Amino acid sequence: MLPEVCGSSLLLTLPDDVFALVSRSLSPRDLCNLGLCCRNFHDLAASDKVWFLQCEMLGVVPCKDLIEWRKGVCSYKALCRFLVGIKPLLGIWVHQNPELGNVVYVMPGFISAVGCRIIPQELGPLGLEDGPILWSPVFEVVSDFEGNAAFFLHGRESGNDYVYPGSIKKVDRTCNVLLLEVEPQQQTSVAHSIVPFGRLAFVDRRKLLDTVTNQVRQTLPDAKDDILFPHLRREEADLREDTELLYERRLLLMKMYDGGGGFTVQKAGTELPSHIGLSEFRPNLDLISGTGDHESRSRSWKTLAEYVRHSLKYILRKSNSTNGKRDLLRKNSSSGHGSKHAQLHEFLQPGDAIGLTLHASTVKLSSYHAWPNMHESKFALYKLPMRGPEMGQEYAGVWGGTFGWPPGRLSDDKPGKALFLFLLSYEESQGQKLLIATKILEGTHYVLHPNGSAMFIVNIDELSNDPFPHDCNPLDVKHAFTGEGIANGYGFRYPGSKPGSLFVIHDKMLAFIWKESRAVLTLQRLDLQEVLSKGERIHALPPVSNFAYLTRSYSNVFANGLTKA
């Protein structure tokens, strides 16, 4: 080979299609670095063919969706930037409260990622496979034309559905906690030390979030907010109609979003901004004086601006009073340690504006049977470690289930059965390989099993000789394993366990049967994205509670007044 066609010159002589195949061995970062070498490499590394393959290798959406999504962004490179940002968000997120369920599944939407709360519910006559699953929107992360991401919280207040625009911090590739926060947005060159939102007292965090969401909320026309992703239908005409509606809806979101959150389009008309300016009412933030009952004053507020001014004034005064007492206690003590919580005025000082922020971070978490041990007073969702089926762990993943046999469709004259969602995972313990079914959702009216409890644990290395105890048509059981299933103990907080067997009917159906009672828990492998794409949307909770419901409850708070959106 001639020297002049070796090395970098060789890359430049390759046809676009060949270089695109070579680029599959490069990461997006490698391609960006290659484009910085010289003008020729810049043009080569900017090829849509190259970045299409990068998008495809990420595996966020199939090729046909990539082609459709490309119509809404300026290039495949911009689309790849967005996909890299949202990929760590995809998966199952949970919170401990309420015990009956707080499960949010983040899935691809339409040039977006959508967080969907799966509602605790009963199965209808069509069963798990064909029956519509109820869900409600929690948040969206949407791409603009340049591939930049913006955050929209969902919520419902006074009978109306709203979206609450905000920004999204850089997403950690290994993020395991999603935090809903308020962040000062500094527009001046004066440097200030940053007080993390999490250092504020819980009451201050709650009041700030309530105040900001009340200021930034915006509405979409009903016809433009029916769907957040294409419905899973067979008719091509229906799919085209969904796509057209999604394009129109996304355009409205882009127009209403303020440029400070990352969108390049400007705010249209008289719509509210996605952040609250502080300069206009900072003179009213009296940290020392001020009398009168807060509730009685609230009745005289005439405008939203007055509400925000008085709310922040009240929050700051309350925070200062509380923290002042702590400072006095600290001064009178000999420990020398500082106050546990930061003061609210210190948090607000660096910024000229404040706005909602989605913060996807990585923290060190302990867990028990794949269920994270979480902080119960943070507006946070915690990611479940997801592993798909692989050699030696064939049953790992998400399964839906219900009590009863046979598992087929329910008849119309029988009441519905509670839907359960389980995360099946493997653990090694004392030389044994265990398969654990962790409950993540329960569709009863009142909780019977704690969140994160192991519904059953079986020893994969120990086969069971127990026959399938229920009369049915000839059933070909592939495998049966011995184990123990959850049983009533000292209240549901201290459940016991009783022996049973796990029967593998086929790769997508399992049945755990308690030996003594002969109760059957039937499980079926689920593709949550497919299930939700066929599901039915219902109204969301008020915005802050909609992100993470923090009040402990043993009843179905998400199903109160199940009405479709």
Side-chain angles (χ1 to χ4, degrees):
M1 182 176 292
L2 296 177
E4 60 269 16
V5 292
C6 293
S8 60
S9 299
L10 176 61
L11 286 177
L12 294 173
T13 60
L14 293 176
D16 288 349
D17 292 340
V18 177
F19 179 76
L21 293 175
V22 173
S23 70
R24 294 180 67 94
S25 301
L26 302 177
S27 67
R29 181 185 293 272
D30 293 334
L31 281 173
C32 290
N33 290 334
L34 183 64
L36 297 175
C37 294
C38 65
R39 183 182 300 274
N40 290 333
F41 275 135
H42 177 272
D43 295 339
L44 189 63
S47 167
D48 251 10
K49 293 180 181 179
V50 169
W51 287 102
F52 174 80
L53 289 177
Q54 291 291 323
C55 293
E56 183 184 23
M57 288 190 296
L58 287 171
V60 175
V61 293
C63 290
K64 62 180 181 64
D65 290 337
L66 287 176
I67 295 171
E68 195 64 50
W69 285 26
R70 167 64 178 85
K71 299 175 184 178
V73 294
C74 61
S75 66
Y76 276 115
K77 183 178 181 180
L79 180 57
C80 185
R81 183 191 309 121
F82 176 70
L83 294 176
V84 168
I86 66 170
K87 185 175 181 179
L89 302 178
L90 305 180
I92 300 177
W93 300 79
V94 296
H95 194 278
Q96 181 66 37
N97 297 331
E99 287 284 357
L100 203 57
N102 208 342
V103 179
V104 176
Y105 184 67
V106 181
M107 56 183 276
F110 182 75
I111 324 180
S112 66
V114 181
C116 304
R117 168 166 288 113
I118 303 175
I119 305 299
Q121 60 199 274
E122 294 180 344
L123 293 176
L126 298 180
L128 181 60
E129 194 167 281
D130 299 317
I133 298 298
L134 301 178
W135 61 275
S136 65
V138 178
F139 65 84
E140 294 176 83
V141 178
V142 184
S143 171
D144 73 344
F145 188 67
E146 301 293 335
N148 301 309
F151 168 66
F152 290 87
L153 178 67
H154 282 259
R156 185 173 176 83
E157 301 177 77
S158 304
N160 296 312
D161 291 323
Y162 295 98
V163 291
Y164 305 79
S167 60
I168 178 170
K169 291 185 178 180
K170 183 179 179 181
V171 177
D172 291 347
R173 292 179 61 184
T174 58
C175 63
N176 56 3
V177 177
L178 278 183
L179 296 160
L180 181 65
E181 298 182 341
V182 168
E183 184 179 42
Q185 300 176 6
Q186 187 171 341
Q187 299 174 0
T188 65
S189 58
V190 180
H192 294 277
S193 59
I194 303 299
V195 176
F197 183 72
R199 282 197 57 205
L200 296 174
F202 175 80
V203 64
D204 292 339
R205 286 183 275 129
R206 180 65 194 236
K207 288 180 178 293
L208 265 179
L209 285 170
D210 285 340
T211 301
V212 172
T213 53
N214 191 66
Q215 171 74 352
V216 304
R217 65 186 183 189
Q218 302 185 38
T219 58
L220 286 171
D222 292 340
K224 301 296 187 296
D225 203 29
D226 287 341
I227 58 175
L228 280 70
F229 41 78
H231 290 156
L232 191 62
R233 298 169 175 163
R234 296 180 180 178
E235 294 81 3
E236 187 67 25
D238 290 334
L239 182 59
R240 286 196 300 269
E241 181 182 349
D242 282 355
T243 303
E244 291 174 2
L245 288 175
L246 287 167
Y247 270 121
E248 293 180 23
R249 182 181 182 277
R250 176 172 170 269
L251 182 60
L252 286 173
L253 289 174
M254 292 172 65
K255 286 182 176 179
M256 72 166 53
Y257 193 81
D258 181 62
F263 273 117
T264 57
V265 296
Q266 297 297 316
K267 179 181 60 175
T270 59
E271 294 155 337
L272 294 172
S274 62
H275 62 272
I276 302 175
L278 295 179
S279 58
E280 61 179 284
F281 46 77
R282 261 190 172 150
N284 298 309
L285 299 178
D286 185 354
L287 299 178
I288 300 175
S289 63
T291 58
D293 180 65
H294 177 66
E295 295 296 331
S296 63
R297 288 199 310 271
S298 66
R299 290 193 291 270
S300 64
W301 295 338
K302 305 299 183 184
T303 67
L304 187 57
E306 290 177 356
Y307 167 77
V308 174
R309 285 197 294 268
H310 285 282
S311 294
L312 285 177
K313 182 177 178 180
Y314 173 75
I315 296 170
L316 284 168
R317 186 172 65 252
K318 182 123 182 169
S319 174
N320 188 68
S321 174
T322 303
N323 288 313
K325 294 178 182 178
R326 292 197 184 100
D327 289 341
L328 181 61
L329 291 173
R330 177 173 57 84
K331 291 178 181 178
N332 292 334
S333 68
S334 59
S335 64
H337 295 293
S339 175
K340 179 180 178 182
H341 299 298
Q343 296 187 18
L344 190 54
H345 73 274
E346 295 175 334
F347 170 78
L348 293 173
Q349 185 178 5
D352 302 305
I354 55 176
L356 284 180
T357 299
L358 181 68
H359 185 194
S361 64
T362 304
V363 300
K364 187 176 181 180
L365 290 176
S366 60
S367 61
Y368 181 72
H369 293 335
W371 184 262
N373 296 317
M374 60 191 69
H375 198 294
E376 295 191 3
S377 65
K378 290 186 177 180
F379 298 94
L381 296 170
Y382 296 79
K383 195 170 190 178
L384 291 182
M386 286 288 298
R387 295 191 65 176
E390 57 186 44
M391 184 68 67
Q393 298 190 7
E394 289 81 3
Y395 311 117
V398 182
W399 295 71
T402 189
F403 280 92
W405 186 267
R409 295 187 177 186
L410 305 174
S411 31
D412 294 328
D413 58 347
K414 291 183 179 180
K417 298 180 179 180
L419 166 67
F420 286 80
L421 290 184
F422 305 101
L423 178 65
L424 267 60
S425 58
Y426 289 78
E427 287 186 11
E428 298 281 346
S429 177
Q430 299 179 350
Q432 296 180 336
K433 188 176 183 180
L434 304 179
L435 176 62
I436 302 170
T438 302
K439 188 217 89 175
I440 62 175
L441 184 78
E442 180 174 344
T444 54
H445 293 293
Y446 191 83
V447 67
L448 301 176
H449 312 89
N451 272 344
S453 59
M455 291 295 290
F456 62 78
I457 302 177
V458 299
N459 184 356
I460 295 297
D461 297 325
E462 186 175 342
L463 298 178
S464 172
N465 295 321
D466 292 341
F468 196 86
H470 290 267
D471 296 332
C472 56
N473 295 326
L475 190 65
D476 183 18
V477 176
K478 294 178 60 177
H479 306 288
F481 307 102
T482 61
E484 293 183 333
I486 197 170
N488 293 332
Y490 180 66
F492 84 93
R493 291 304 308 175
Y494 304 96
S497 58
K498 291 186 177 181
S501 296
L502 179 67
F503 296 88
V504 179
I505 313 303
H506 50 73
D507 291 341
K508 295 185 178 181
M509 181 171 290
L510 309 174
F512 185 86
I513 301 182
W514 281 260
K515 192 170 185 178
E516 180 181 328
S517 65
R518 297 180 55 166
V520 183
L521 177 61
T522 307
L523 290 82
Q524 181 176 334
R525 187 181 288 280
L526 287 185
D527 181 337
L528 284 180
Q529 183 171 340
E530 179 179 335
V531 168
L532 290 170
S533 296
K534 296 188 296 185
E536 293 183 3
R537 174 181 170 182
I538 67 170
H539 291 302
L541 295 174
V544 179
S545 295
N546 192 44
F547 186 84
Y549 193 92
L550 299 188
T551 304
R552 181 170 293 282
S553 175
Y554 306 121
S555 60
N556 191 351
V557 299
F558 299 122
N560 292 336
L562 285 179
T563 55
K564 298 179 183 179

